[in-house]
Amino acid sequence: MAANNTTVASHCPAPMKATSNGVFQGDSPLDFSLPLVILQICLVVVVTRLLAFLLKPMRQPRVIAEIVGGILLGPSVLGRNKSYLNAVFPSKSITVLDTLANIGLLFFLFLVGLELDLKALRRTGKTALGIALAGISLPFVIGVGTSFVLRATISQGVSEAPFLVFMGVALSITAFPVLARILAELKLLTTDVGRMAMSAAAVNDMAAWILLALAIALSSSGRSPLVSLWVLLCGSGFVLGCIVILPYIFNWMAQRCPEGEPVNELYVTATLAIVLAAGFVTDTIGIHALFGAFVVGVLVPKEGPFASALVEKVEDLVSGLFLPLYFVSSGLKTNVATISGLKSWGLLVLVIFNACFGKIAGTIVVSLLCKIPLQESLALAFLMNTKGLVELIVLNIGKDRKVLNDQTFAIMVLMAIFTTFITTPLVIAVYKPAKRMTKSDYKYKTIQRKDMNTQLQLLVCFHSTRNVPSLLNLIEASRGIGKREGLSLYALHLMELTERPSAILMVQKTKMNGLPFWNKGGHYSNANQIVIAFEAYEQLSRVSIRPMTTISPFSNIHEDICTSAEDKQSAMIILPFHKHPRVDGTWENTRVEFRSINRRVLDHAPCSVGILVDRGLGGSTHVAASNVASAITMLFFGGRDDQEALAYALRMAEHPGINLTVVRFYLASSEDVGEIVSVPINDNPSEPKNVSEDEIFLSEVKQKIANNSSIKLEEKGVNNYNEIVDVVRGYGGCNLFLVGRISEGQVAVTLNSVTCECRELGPVCNMLTFPEFSTSASVLVVQQYHSQRNLNRASSTRVDVYSEEDLENNSY
């Protein structure tokens, strides 16, 4: 008996203590669990983030970097050095590592459940449902067939029924979160292909979890076949119990979380405790703790701030620190060296081919039967072939249940990496919707036009609630008095696509709750009030407002703005300035990235562009039409940009509450400096024989404003920059200045002495934004579109923009 105890003790490593006494007392931190797991987490985060940075130019999802990072840290690469493996990932630390990894995975699957909307699944169209079923059934059958080949070669001796089901599930999965990330990166979320892929992947994801539960039940190591039946029955009873009980609890919590108020910490804590309890129950049943967390996430109500609060509390810690541990835990089980010899590599090729063929062939056949064009069918097929975290979960459960041996496990992991890696380049190669969607030849690309009675279409962009009141007041000033076709406005909310899972969750909520503009439970607590403000303004005015949202990385969001302007045939894009004023009159950066966006839009825009330098235009709230009493000053030096600014100013002057003063500068002798020159209103534009475009344009303007008492045209003679400043100071009491970005002519030469801190604003606007230039007036700086300025314009890409048309056509 003593001998047996000695033998057992020699094979079982001593348990690790949590904390050390420090190196000065002779303790090595790597011999204690807490410092060792801290080192492991830091190492994992550094390696996976570095790989994600390296793979970013290839537009690969982060899950690829995390899977590859886990393999690099495991026995396949760095783990070949036994000293490293025994020091950093000793066998006695694996239990702690796996526990932390599974806790992180538990809460991540809870977040995945939050992304899945059962109401949306019920609205899934027949086409998407057919594609999902074909994408599950054919790969599942091929996976079962592949399992016979593997059992006859490298997987001899494993249980037949569980192995068949695990192989079928592994080949039939489509990773819903990874697919959403790829679609967002490629700006395809709102295309027909993107909507179809998301709907089909959601159905596929739900079916995969059901099949996985079946596979786990079949792999139970009980002595009686009835064990698997009991597992299935108890698992079904757990799900039914959750469906009956949990919605009442969560709805009760959600009703006590009003919009705009912080969510009670007690409700968040109680929900997370329910997640852990559900995991305990499902693990006790014998399915897996992950299933309980996933079911709870699905049942949490998606409307209101409650779900968003849960995401904000959980996602950064889980997806940033704990989830990467799961990939390392998987990587430690993956040894690519077990794939040796021609037979093993041949089986790897066979598995990859079967996995791709099943998904691609099944999707293409159903897509073509549903009369989807071949190009879109190919793109859809490649997208549905995406694997990811769920695939890795299936394989790890199979490995833990002894259903998959080391060699089969390594082959399946490499298959998942390969199929996901090729998705992005293949979709880019076969699907180029921008070539069919461009409308760059539309007629009105400027506000200045011969027929001023045509409808004016504007694309107004904003980043946050800070920009909205001033933009509403600018819209009110721009709408005229209804003598013409009116103003059509597209309000585009610019949102950054981050690596957070909630970025895609936000996109899904935007679609599902019927708001093309914002999700009610988004990251902005007062988003709902702003939506109401836009809707109320549209009802009270004669302005047609179409709210939209675009979600892209800030590095290329300008492509979305420019292509949106083309799609909507806008005459001008209006952007907010990247700074906001302090109380002392100086300027503070809102975000530096906003400046780069503005510059790129100026370079690539298909129409005129305006940048609003806001000093509180109209105050912090929207001014009703009957209360508008604004003084606008337009500074005219000459050139196309100034002509465009003057055309916009004349449009504003049609509003009964606006008085416009046009100040035209000319080069004068010293005795004429600052003198107001009388302007004869009845000039005949046909009399001058050799006059500039500016003179002709101003002559036409004089004819139009002859009987309009709300518009004054004054001419000022100046010789240098200081004289210009003195003249402009006299108009500092107005509400809004309109200026051209790049002025031309003799007077404009005197502006060369202006220090342009922000070149995108031009010299005149830079002068008006100097702290020493004391004024509370906002500035709208205008750049007119002309083809020479846009010769270097890059080819546009399909944008990720949500509008009402997308919602109307959301079911297939």
Side-chain angles (χ1 to χ4, degrees), residues 261-326:
E261 297 291 332
V263 176
N264 193 321
E265 182 188 2
L266 177 63
Y267 300 153
V268 176
T269 305
T271 303
L272 298 182
I274 291 173
V275 172
L276 293 173
F280 174 81
V281 173
T282 50
D283 191 80
T284 302
I285 291 173
I287 306 177
H288 200 285
L290 305 180
F291 282 93
F294 178 75
V295 170
V296 173
V298 170
L299 295 177
V300 171
K302 307 302 186 288
E303 297 80 12
F306 183 55
S308 296
L310 292 172
V311 171
E312 290 174 2
K313 300 289 185 184
V314 175
E315 74 170 336
D316 287 340
L317 180 64
V318 169
S319 62
L321 289 181
F322 289 120
L323 187 62
L325 292 180
Y326 189 77

Side-chain angles (χ1 to χ4, degrees), residues 465-487:
T465 58
R466 182 195 299 273
N467 313 127
V468 173
S470 296
L471 288 176
L472 280 175
N473 292 323
L474 181 64
I475 294 165
E476 173 61 36
S478 305
R479 72 183 180 93
I481 55 175
K483 291 182 179 179
R484 59 183 84 231
E485 292 184 28
L487 175 66

Side-chain angles (χ1 to χ4, degrees), residues 35-48 321 325:
L36 181 58
V37 79
I38 291 173
L39 175 65
Q40 291 169 344
I41 292 174
C42 293
L43 182 62
V44 170
V45 170
V46 169
V47 171
T48 54
L321 289 181
L325 292 180

Side-chain angles (χ1 to χ4, degrees), residues 351-496:
V351 169
I352 292 175
F353 175 80
N354 287 347
C356 295
F357 177 79
K359 278 286 184 183
I360 294 173
T363 304
I364 289 178
V365 169
V366 175
S367 299
L368 292 177
L369 291 175
C370 295
K371 298 181 180 180
I372 297 176
L374 179 60
Q375 185 189 39
E376 296 184 3
S377 299
L378 285 171
L380 196 57
F382 294 141
L383 288 167
M384 294 299 292
N385 197 35
T386 303
K387 309 294 182 186
L389 177 63
V390 180
E391 173 85 5
L392 215 59
I393 294 172
V394 172
L395 298 179
N396 275 278
I397 293 175
K399 182 78 162 55
D400 295 338
R401 298 288 178 118
K402 309 298 182 183
V403 176
L404 305 177
N405 60 25
D406 292 344
Q407 194 171 355
T408 306
F409 181 79
I411 287 174
M412 299 301 293
V413 169
L414 292 182
M415 178 272 292
I417 295 174
F418 179 82
T419 53
T420 306
F421 187 86
I422 64 173
T423 298
T424 299
L426 286 177
V427 172
I428 292 175
V430 302
Y431 189 61
K432 299 179 176 63
K435 289 186 176 180
R436 298 182 292 104
M437 298 298 294
T438 183
K439 299 178 182 178
S440 58
D441 58 344
Y442 65 92
K443 187 175 182 180
Y444 296 118
K445 300 184 178 184
T446 62
I447 292 178
Q448 182 187 357
R449 59 190 69 168
K450 291 183 180 180
D451 184 6
M452 295 298 290
N453 291 320
T454 55
Q455 186 182 57
L456 177 63
Q457 298 193 145
L458 299 179
L459 179 69
V460 180
C461 305
F462 56 97
H463 300 284
S464 67
T465 58
R466 182 195 299 273
N467 313 127
V468 173
S470 296
L471 288 176
L472 280 175
N473 292 323
L474 181 64
I475 294 165
E476 173 61 36
S478 305
R479 72 183 180 93
I481 55 175
K483 291 182 179 179
R484 59 183 84 231
E485 292 184 28
L487 175 66
S488 177
L489 183 81
Y490 298 91
L492 183 60
H493 185 201
L494 308 179
M495 305 190 73
E496 184 179 15

Side-chain angles (χ1 to χ4, degrees), residues 682-752:
N682 58 350
D683 284 351
N684 186 353
S686 63
E687 289 180 3
K689 300 299 181 184
N690 297 309
V691 294
S692 66
E693 290 183 7
D694 290 337
E695 294 294 339
I696 296 174
F697 178 68
L698 285 171
S699 237
E700 294 173 351
V701 169
K702 293 170 188 177
Q703 294 293 322
K704 292 177 182 178
I705 67 174
N707 299 317
N708 194 334
S709 60
S710 65
I711 303 176
K712 293 190 297 182
L713 177 59
E714 300 176 356
E715 296 195 352
K716 298 279 187 169
V718 293
N719 280 318
N720 54 52
Y721 171 71
N722 291 329
E723 294 172 359
I724 294 174
V725 172
D726 290 339
V727 171
V728 174
R729 285 186 192 276
Y731 298 91
C734 67
N735 302 100
L736 177 68
F737 281 106
L738 265 81
V739 300
R741 178 172 175 253
I742 304 297
S743 299
E744 302 172 15
Q746 292 179 320
V747 182
V749 176
T750 62
L751 297 171
N752 292 336

Side-chain angles (χ1 to χ4, degrees), residues 61-64 66-67 101-102 104-112 115 173-179 205 209 212 290 318-319 322-328 330 386-397 413 416-417 420 501:
R62 198 173 79 185
V63 68
I64 291 288
E66 290 170 331
I67 297 175
N102 278 280
L105 187 64
L106 187 82
F107 285 109
F108 185 81
L109 265 295
F110 168 67
L111 294 178
V112 172
E115 291 185 34
I173 283 176
T174 296
F176 178 79
V178 180
L179 174 64
D205 206 39
W209 284 106
L212 181 57
L290 305 180
V318 169
S319 62
F322 289 120
L323 187 62
L325 292 180
Y326 189 77
F327 294 100
V328 173
S330 176
T386 303
K387 309 294 182 186
L389 177 63
V390 180
E391 173 85 5
L392 215 59
I393 294 172
V394 172
L395 298 179
N396 275 278
I397 293 175
V413 169
I417 295 174
T420 306

